[in-house]
Amino acid sequence: MATATDQLVGFGLVAFSLVLFVYYTLWIIVLPFIDSDHGIHQYFLPREYAVIIPVAAGLLLLLFIGVFIMFVMWKSRKHAKKSD
């Protein structure tokens, strides 16, 4: 069973993901149909960032995955040399 802390962290991650999904969906799908002089536009970044931010996040994710794999391979190689 999950502890209360695990459940709280899980709930926080789900809530953050839901807020991010709703914000991005409104930004990409709904905002183009609203007049550009409407006040709601002040709460959203310019549309260029709608592509730049996910691409940058994806590249960072790939970087972290690559570093993690490199670290695990390096550790297992170091461990294999000790056992020989």
Side-chain angles (χ1 to χ4, degrees):
M1 294 294 292
T3 64
T5 305
D6 292 339
Q7 290 178 346
L8 186 63
V9 168
F11 177 74
L13 287 172
V14 168
F16 175 74
S17 298
L18 181 65
V19 168
L20 190 64
F21 175 76
V22 169
Y23 179 84
Y24 192 77
T25 302
L26 288 174
W27 185 22
I28 299 305
I29 296 174
V30 176
L31 211 58
F33 297 107
I34 299 175
D35 292 333
S36 60
D37 58 344
H38 195 275
I40 198 167
H41 283 275
Q42 70 184 1
Y43 299 109
F44 295 91
L45 292 171
R47 292 196 51 87
E48 297 83 28
Y49 291 107
V51 174
I52 294 172
I53 291 173
V55 167
L59 289 174
L60 278 173
L61 179 66
L62 288 174
L63 174 72
F64 287 133
I65 289 171
V67 168
F68 175 76
I69 290 172
M70 182 183 68
F71 181 73
V72 168
M73 290 177 68
W74 180 67
K75 279 282 251 205
S76 67
R77 184 175 175 207
K78 188 176 177 182
H79 181 67
K81 281 185 179 180
K82 273 186 177 179
S83 64
D84 286 344

